[in-house]
Amino acid sequence: MEDIDAIAALQDPVRRRLYEYVAGQGREVGRNEAAEATGVARTLAAHHLDKLAAAGLLESGSRRLTGRSGPGAGRPAKVYTRSRAERSVSLPARDYRTAAELLAEAAEEAGLDDGLCAAARRRGEALRGSAEPCDDLDAARELLAARGYEPHIEAAEDAEALVLRMRNCPFHAVAERFPPLVCGMNLALLEGLIGADGAVRARMDARPGECCVIIEPSKNNID
């Protein structure tokens, strides 16, 4: 019932907009910023943000948003980030996670990594269907957003190009227990989904709290 109550907290449209905004930033968000971004009064935003935190959908803390410390730096402000806890509801109850973990454990013990990746790549290609491979990062972002990866474009570490990073891994719970197996599967799935011969490619580039795969321009498309 706890998960049902938490998800029910999103029924209010203002509360849902605030949650989606905070979740989409990938960083701490203050009350003023959330209120301005969603077009509501600060007091109303504060009320709903605290409700979301009480429901376990957001985590709250405090810090000085000015970046300064000491006298004159101002009082710490309340900030919010998306909770790391997962919420799901199934009626009647289902336990697909246990099944996925058992299958992953068996595949890892049997050394079926290559077979799993081949199957994942075929599934990605089947999901893409007759569509052409992604021709740029924007096309890949639209495709992956529809599959829950929460992609965002940012500068590469060398600042010479842009890359597509994903704040959410749809396989996070199983990937935590079997990272090489599941991350390899995820990479193969995305390779099939975006197309191996297009203008962008998928590769491993793990970063804490995000999907282990990034999408970047193919080598022959980098000046």
Side-chain angles (χ1 to χ4, degrees), residues 132-209:
E132 293 294 322
C134 293
D135 56 5
D136 57 29
L137 292 179
D138 286 329
R141 177 172 58 181
E142 182 178 352
L143 181 65
L144 298 178
R147 303 206 65 82
Y149 281 92
E150 299 182 5
H152 64 284
I153 294 176
E154 64 178 49
E157 291 184 0
D158 59 12
E160 294 182 358
L162 297 176
V163 298
L164 190 66
R165 287 192 174 272
M166 294 164 277
R167 293 193 177 99
N168 182 49
C169 171
F171 316 111
H172 173 73
V174 186
E176 277 194 319
R177 288 196 58 189
F178 308 96
L181 181 77
V182 177
C183 290
M185 177 200 74
N186 186 36
L187 174 62
L189 177 70
L190 292 176
E191 287 174 340
L193 190 62
I194 66 174
D197 301 320
V200 297
R201 65 173 184 172
R203 71 172 175 88
M204 288 287 193
D205 189 11
R207 194 160 75 176

